[in-house]
Amino acid sequence: MSFVSHVECTICGAAHDAKRLLTVCEKCGQMLAVRYDLARVASSVTKSALRQRAAGMYRFRELTPLDEAEPPVTLGEGGTPLLDLPRLAAHFGIRKIWGKDEGQNPTGSFKARGLGMALTRARTLGARGFVIPSAGNAGGAAAVYAARCGLPCVVIVPRGTPPAAVAEAQIAGAHVFTIEGSIATAGRVVSRVAPLLGWFDLSTLKEPYRLEGKKTIGLELAEQLDWRMPEVLLYPTGGGTGLVGIPKGYEELRAMGWLSGPLPRFFAVQADGCAPVVKAFASGAETTTAWDNPTTHAAGLRVPSPFAGRQMLRLLRETGGGAVAVDETAIQEAQRLVARTEGIWTAPESAALVAALARLKDGGEVARDAEVMLILTGAGLKYAPPPLAPPTDLAGTEEEVVAQVRRAVGA
Ligand SMILES: *Cc1c(COP(=O)(O)O)cnc(C)c1O
Ligand SMILES: [Zn+2]
């Protein structure tokens, strides 16, 4: 017995049968979301019972769409640390900064949560194979979970996608293709190929299960902050699964009476070379319009026309947040800053948050006494290393080499 009541359209509200393999709203074509009988969840589990459970995303089993005995397709996703970042906070003169280190997930990014959940549920509901357009990490994650449950997977990524993510999909046995253009081009091909193969289309938010995995970031954050929410939350925004999923998790806990108070002010962070959400936010538009010629080395942010633009913009406005774009140099500098100050080699997407925070602080949008949450979505290791200077090569006798190290360190 699961706690799911139904699946609902986020725009027109049409109810859908949760026992069927669903994609988008059958009435209006918009994004669907899983709804739960939250009163029944609240009377079935307590905070102290939760504390006894194993770490990881299935710790919140009652708030997942899985049937009671349904085995998850899992590699141990979730349960990532919430790190206090005091040296970064001191650097910016902000009272508190936390980083949720999603780079410690299997596959090195938070995509493991969404795709682990999506493949689990879609397989149970009858999917016999998967097709996904991706900027990199989602394709890698889909491929490894498909391997884990023995089903085939097609991954289509733009040319120039970070090589580690492509290799990850290949080594897991997926059929991997590159294409000129962006994830949008790949998405159009996927939408035609998936029905021909009879395989399930995993495009961002065009099915309701991936979101339930992403949502668990919000559930974990609530527990890790001892059942409260931060004031400000920055999210590196491509397709926006976290901007839809994290508040969904918070709202569900609030409806259960486990959390109170306002949602954090959510900020979408994008790159100057692809900022459809920032542009729509600034112009007061209700939804995004396609971004021409998207370019950024932060591959996960290269999403020119996110499907859930409307839902994201609504959240940013309702919570008193905003949207900020940063340039490529600022992203690279921020990546080094986080590594130098806190020892975290984070992905360029999440480094963009730190560059954005500097701007928000300078502009007075984030106050000195604020408490700020950064969703560090991926590990820097999954990207080609940034152009650092080569390390000094030690050569000579052992004595000379030792002296060389002392001189260089200056200690
Ligand atoms: C996919 C991805 C993002 C963007 O996430 P969305 O949910 O698509 O907005 C950010 N960072 C990394 C590392 C990613 O892989
Ligand atoms: Zn609808």
Side-chain angles (χ1 to χ4, degrees):
M1 186 178 59
S2 91
F3 291 81
V4 173
S5 57
H6 63 293
V7 175
E8 186 179 74
C9 176
T10 56
I11 298 298
C12 80
H16 293 63
D17 179 3
K19 295 194 180 59
R20 287 178 37 232
L21 183 60
L22 295 167
T23 54
V24 293
C25 176
E26 284 159 6
K27 286 233 169 84
C28 75
Q30 293 285 329
M31 193 200 124
L32 295 175
V34 180
R35 302 294 178 210
Y36 298 84
D37 182 347
L38 295 169
R40 200 157 61 81
V41 175
S43 63
S44 304
V45 58
T46 61
K47 289 177 183 173
S48 61
L50 192 68
R51 263 197 297 278
Q52 312 304 315
R53 296 185 184 176
M57 138 174 131
Y58 294 102
R59 174 184 185 78
F60 304 94
R61 178 97 191 185
E62 291 84 351
L63 292 176
T64 73
L66 271 59
D67 296 328
E68 192 170 354
E70 185 175 346
V73 182
T74 180
L75 293 163
E77 50 291 337
T80 56
L82 179 64
L83 301 171
D84 197 359
L85 306 179
R87 286 164 51 81
L88 196 64
H91 178 87
F92 285 127
I94 290 175
R95 180 157 61 98
K96 194 76 168 172
I97 304 179
W98 292 285
K100 177 73 166 156
D101 191 7
E102 290 291 298
Q104 297 193 38
N105 273 297
T107 77
S109 94
F110 72 156
K111 293 293 196 302
R113 292 182 192 262
L115 288 150
M117 187 74 77
L119 269 85
T120 294
R121 198 60 194 142
R123 178 186 66 154
T124 300
L125 295 175
R128 287 293 157 257
F130 302 96
V131 191
I132 188 168
S134 169
N137 286 327
V144 306
Y145 289 99
R148 186 87 168 136
C149 64
L151 290 174
C153 185
V154 170
V155 175
I156 308 181
V157 297
R159 281 183 208 152
T161 292
V166 176
E168 180 178 46
Q170 288 175 318
I171 201 169
H175 306 273
V176 184
F177 303 91
T178 57
I179 193 167
E180 173 74 40
S182 73
I183 190 173
T185 335
R188 283 193 291 277
V189 177
V190 163
S191 71
R192 304 220 13 216
V193 164
L196 292 176
L197 295 172
W199 294 355
F200 191 60
D201 180 348
L202 289 164
S203 296
T204 308
L205 298 173
K206 290 190 176 168
E207 49 72 30
Y209 315 112
R210 209 209 277 200
L211 183 63
E212 295 308 289
K214 282 293 173 71
K215 175 186 88 177
T216 62
I217 298 174
L219 303 178
E220 275 176 29
L221 285 179
E223 189 183 17
Q224 286 173 314
L225 269 193
D226 202 17
W227 307 108
R228 64 191 188 90
M229 292 178 270
E231 281 170 55
V232 172
L233 189 150
L234 272 58
Y235 184 80
T237 306
T241 55
L243 278 187
V244 182
I246 295 170
K248 183 176 193 290
Y250 279 148
E251 298 277 23
E252 287 171 0
L253 293 171
R254 203 155 60 168
M256 286 165 57
W258 286 26
L259 273 180
S260 58
L263 286 179
R265 296 167 63 210
F266 279 86
F267 286 86
V269 176
Q270 302 200 296
D272 278 349
C274 181
V277 175
V278 177
K279 185 174 166 210
F281 184 86
S283 72
E286 241 175 73
T287 189
T288 50
T289 47
W291 189 273
D292 286 336
N293 188 27
T295 51
T296 169
H297 79 289
L301 306 185
R302 219 175 133 235
V303 180
S305 41
F307 184 55
R310 189 180 296 272
Q311 290 85 347
M312 288 190 256
L313 288 159
R314 197 163 62 191
L315 172 84
L316 302 177
R317 293 188 176 120
E318 281 177 5
T319 63
V324 188
V326 293
D327 68 43
E328 299 296 298
T329 310
I331 292 174
Q332 283 176 346
E333 283 169 1
Q335 197 177 25
R336 293 177 199 189
L337 177 68
V338 182
R340 258 196 339 262
T341 55
E342 300 286 5
I344 305 166
W345 187 8
T346 199
E349 292 88 341
S350 25
L353 302 181
V354 174
L357 183 56
R359 291 257 306 275
L360 290 169
K361 170 77 176 9
D362 289 347
E365 283 192 84
V366 168
R368 170 172 291 278
D369 70 348
E371 293 185 330
V372 179
M373 180 70 67
L374 306 177
I375 309 298
L376 304 177
T377 45
L381 267 173
K382 279 199 84 179
Y383 297 72
L388 299 177
T392 306
D393 187 55
L394 300 174
T397 66
E398 202 167 299
E399 289 309 310
E400 286 163 352
V401 160
V402 168
Q404 222 179 328
V405 172
R406 272 195 70 177
R407 258 198 322 276
V409 175

